Structures are given as structure tokens and as C-alpha cells.
Amino acid sequence: MNVLVINCGSSSLKFQLINSDSEQVLAKGLCERIGIDGSLTYQPAGEEKVKTDKEMPTHTEAIQFVIDALTDAQTGVVKSLEEIGAVGHRVVHGGEKFASSVVITDEVYQAIEECNDLAPLHNPANLIGIAACQKLMPGTPMVAVFDTAFHQTMPQKAYMYGLPYEYYEKYKVRRYGFHGTSHSFVSKRAAELVGKPYDQVKTIVCHLGNGASVCAVENGKSVDTSMGLTPLEGLVMGTRSGDIDPAILEFIAKKENLDIAGLMNMLNKKSGVFGLSNNLSSDFRDLSAGAAEGNVPAKIALEVFSYRVAKYIGSYAAAMNGVDVIAFTAGIGENDGGVREMVMQYLGYLGVEMDEKANATRGEEITISTPDSKVTVMVIPTNEELAIARETVALI
Ligand code: AMP
């Protein structure tokens, strides 16, 4: 079956058409600047990508252009919509309502809407994508795959904040965690690669991309993760601060005359390695190049980032009373051997021994610890779209 995987943002929409039998990507692409002017980037497998300007006042036009491209007589990869058996939608926040993926019904749509409060930038956009697909592909089954669902197995001690209990009761303020599709995909693959049953292995997944989070997966279940109510908590990220002393907010608000919106903008967009590097860049390639040229803030940004990752690994090894596998994934985790090495330098106490040659490779599935290492350390490229396609097929 062919599954259309949709990841919809407020003004963008990423898509992949995946054949679920061969698990091959038939075509992929991106609609950008929806509601502003609009463009479609389309790439059938094995061919060059082509970007075309297209008027896209809403997501409905964007999805129509995607369908037109996929079914086009020349550049299309399927003959008609009939050859698309299902649509899998990435949905960011499922709150406490969704502990797994679900087939989208009217009730499910409403329940997702009720989670909008928890992810006001993401969930409404995800729902717009679902509604647009439902309009243009009536009768095609659709599935919602949540970033938060995998973490619903966390015990209460891991997801409660030290705040008044009534905020949990009234507003559901708690840790939810994100990147669940990736943490689940990578931890499953890690178990396969070390040849252990998924329910008998302790894995720490470090999803290090522009957004970054660490997850403790004990016997196939997420037991703790570094992102919280929102994706702002935890690691130092590209432009997000991660953990800080909450009292800094009042201090900076007074000094810089910032309101709540100004503070949130600073924490989300101006902080992280971007802020730490004195606005040099949020991209680790630029930071490494800068550090190599003697740029001190760039070097500090890399050190702070790696140190924070190592501290989370330590705390999750403690939470699980041990760890069998540590897996690096996402843009930085898969490609930046320098950062991986900086993190692993802190892990000697766990018996981690790095294989230097293996760690020098980029973007491939590989074990980067030595055969003698007490913990197996791996690079496992994530594939959230494939994970969404698999979930979709499993449900319908
Ligand atoms: P993601 O959010 O998973 O797409 O990761 C994006 C980030 O990965 C970029 O902002 C870079 O910091 C990082 N990245 C991508 N390619 C490389 C590379 N070759 N070396 C180091 N970092 C990279």
C-alpha cells in the first residue's frame, strides 16, 4: 500500500509518499509560504528536485498541488488517488488523551482540537492539514501519529513538576515529552541491532537536531525524557534555552523591560547555541568551523551543549539503574562526530570506550563504541516518516 505522510506547519507542509511493502519513498517534497505566496518543491525518487511557484492561499490548495504532482502523467509516481491507500499525519500534541496513534474520526479530530492549548503553534496547523486532506481525499483512511504518545508510559514521578498539584488537575500541567516517533523508532532499531528483545534492553536515545531531546527507554517503554510541557525544556538546542533557573525570567524581564511574549521569544528564538555563540549560528557546522578558527563563544556553545547531553545521559542511567545502549540520532547526532566525542568523553564511568575510526563516519548506521565497551554506543539515523507510515498501515 502507498501511504502519504503529511507533516503540516502553519505555513508549510512536508510530504512523502511511501510504499509500505518495500518501505521505499516514491516521492517527497515541501510546500512553503502557504497563505503568503507559495511554492512546491517536488522530488520523485531518483530524480532531481524541482521547485515551482504556486499560488497557495490555504493548505487545501497546497494539498491539491501535492496530489496533482503525485498523479501527474509525466512526473507523477501513481496513476490516480486510488493508489494512495492511507494518509498518516504527524500531530505534535496528544496530551493525556492519546497514548498511541489513532485512526482519525470526528471524535478524534475534536479531541486533538482540545489539546490545542498545549501546543498553540503546532496542533492547529496539524488539524488544518488533516481537514484539507479529508476534503480532497474523502474516503481515504487517515491516521494521527503523535509526538507525545510514546512518552505516555512515563511514571508519575517522572512527569510531575514541583508545582501546585491543582495546576495538574485543572490545566494538565506536566511533562509530556516530544520526538516520540523518533525515540520509539531509534530505540526499536537499537534493540534489533544489539540482538536483544525490545522489552529487555535499556536504551538512552539522544535525538540531537535543531530541536533536541534525550529519552530513557526501559524495556520498550519511555520512562523519562528531557522535553516537558512544551519542547522548550531540557537540552540546550539550536535557538532554545533548554533548562534554566526560572527566576532568570523575572531578573531579565526587569533589566531588559520585556513582557511575557518578549521573554518567550528570547527563550525560543535567541537562546541555545545561537545565543551562546554570540549569535554566530545555530548550525553546528558553523560552530565547529568557528571554534576551529578560535572563536571563543562558538567553542563555549559546543561545550555547554555536549555537557548538558552528558548530564542527561548520566541522570537517565541513574533512573534506569544502568544502560545497555546509547544511540545518537537526528542532524547533529547522525553527522557531528566532534559533538559525539565530546559527549562520550564524560561517559568513562559507564565503561564507554569510543571507536575513533567508526565515530569519524557520518550519517550511517554504525556502532561507535569498541567491542570491549560496557555500553554499546551507536549512530542510528532516524526516519520519522517511515515510522508514521508503519503506524498508519498497522492501524488500518
Ligand atoms: P535536524 O533538526 O535533525 O534536521 O538537524 C538540523 C541540524 O543538524 C542543523 O542545524 C545542524 O546543526 C546539524 N547538522 C546537519 N548536518 C550536519 C553536519 N554535517 N555536521 C554537523 N552538524 C550538522
Side-chain angles (χ1 to χ4, degrees), residues 207-211 282-285 330-332 335-336 362:
H207 178 111
L208 310 180
N210 202 26
S282 62
D283 192 307
F284 279 63
R285 287 162 285 200
I332 301 153
N335 293 301
D336 197 327
R362 216 162 63 67

Side-chain angles (χ1 to χ4, degrees), residues 286-301:
D286 300 333
L287 296 174
S288 301
E293 286 162 13
N295 181 315
V296 175
K299 182 166 174 279
I300 292 171

Side-chain angles (χ1 to χ4, degrees), residues 197-217:
Y198 191 40
D199 60 3
Q200 287 172 36
V201 59
K202 295 173 182 177
T203 305
I204 297 175
V205 180
C206 306
H207 178 111
L208 310 180
N210 202 26
S213 70
V214 185
C215 181
V217 186

Side-chain angles (χ1 to χ4, degrees), residues 17-50:
L17 187 67
I18 296 178
N19 181 294
S20 65
D21 304 314
S22 63
E23 300 206 324
Q24 296 298 309
V25 177
L26 304 178
K28 63 182 176 181
L30 166 72
C31 297
E32 288 172 287
R33 296 175 62 83
I34 302 167
I36 305 164
D37 36 32
S39 71
L40 168 74
T41 305
Y42 176 70
Q43 185 177 27
E47 295 187 31
E48 293 292 305
K49 43 170 106 142
V50 178

Side-chain angles (χ1 to χ4, degrees), residues 177-238:
F178 297 85
H179 295 139
T181 312
S182 177
H183 288 303
S184 160
F185 179 89
V186 171
S187 56
K188 273 193 197 120
R189 184 72 189 135
E192 274 172 26
L193 290 170
V194 295
K196 285 193 180 174
Y198 191 40
D199 60 3
Q200 287 172 36
V201 59
K202 295 173 182 177
T203 305
I204 297 175
V205 180
C206 306
H207 178 111
L208 310 180
N210 202 26
S213 70
V214 185
C215 181
V217 186
E218 185 170 11
N219 305 335
K221 294 197 166 97
S222 168
V223 292
D224 208 344
T225 191
S226 58
M227 282 179 169
L229 174 77
T230 75
L232 183 55
E233 192 183 348
L235 299 179
V236 173
M237 306 181 214

